[in-house]
Amino acid sequence: MSKPVAGRKVGEREALAVATTVRGSPQKLNLVAGLIRGKKAGEAVNALTFSSKAMAVDVRKCLQSAIANAENNHNLDIDRLWVKEASVGKSITMKRFATRARGRSTRIVKPFAKLRIVVQERDINEEAGA
């Protein structure tokens, strides 16, 4: 027997995109994710396009993936999408070493982070209230 099909991880009228290995610390990624939380999808893409942070490129790719998922998989109107959630978590950490003076070595930690973006379609009357 096979396993039953898993249900949707987000509600109706919502779409999800996940970036599992974004190179950089979760703390720095959270600063960039804070730029788009609660904004309309188009405004969020513009904010990330013109951001000076290097991680904004990866966040923009994930956001555009969520918008594409909403349009193609869930038939949502992209003009009424807004960023409901942009959560960040820790992923793997690569450990390397660098040689130092007098035969010693130092550990170098190269962190990765996870990013989860949920976009939701709002009604016209909800947008007027927001």
Side-chain angles (χ1 to χ4, degrees):
M1 292 190 54
S2 62
K3 292 195 282 186
V5 176
R8 281 181 53 110
K9 295 185 181 190
V10 291
E12 293 296 317
R13 302 176 63 199
E14 290 180 0
L16 168 72
V18 178
T20 54
T21 52
V22 177
R23 181 68 176 86
S25 71
Q27 183 176 10
K28 291 179 184 177
L29 183 61
N30 195 31
L31 291 173
V32 177
L35 293 173
I36 64 169
R37 284 190 189 107
K39 288 189 178 180
K40 287 186 174 182
E43 293 174 11
V45 170
N46 283 339
L48 293 170
T49 301
F50 297 107
S51 175
S52 61
K53 299 280 188 183
M55 284 193 192
V57 176
D58 295 323
V59 176
R60 191 179 85 234
K61 283 182 183 179
C62 188
L63 176 60
Q64 287 175 333
S65 176
I67 293 169
N69 289 342
E71 183 180 14
N72 297 322
N73 299 344
H74 306 300
N75 299 322
L76 301 179
D77 183 14
I78 61 171
D79 295 326
R80 298 190 314 189
L81 289 179
W82 64 285
V83 180
K84 180 182 177 187
E85 175 188 336
S87 59
V88 176
K90 288 172 64 172
S91 185
I92 63 170
T93 302
M94 291 193 306
K95 293 161 183 95
R96 301 293 184 258
F97 76 93
T99 54
R100 304 303 292 241
R102 305 173 84 184
R104 296 191 173 104
S105 64
T106 304
R107 190 152 118 172
I108 295 176
V109 176
K110 297 185 175 188
F112 285 78
K114 290 183 212 175
L115 176 65
R116 181 179 193 262
I117 295 180
V118 177
V119 292
Q120 184 180 41
E121 184 182 45
R122 277 190 178 166
D123 288 332
I124 302 298
N125 54 7
E126 288 180 38
E127 289 179 10

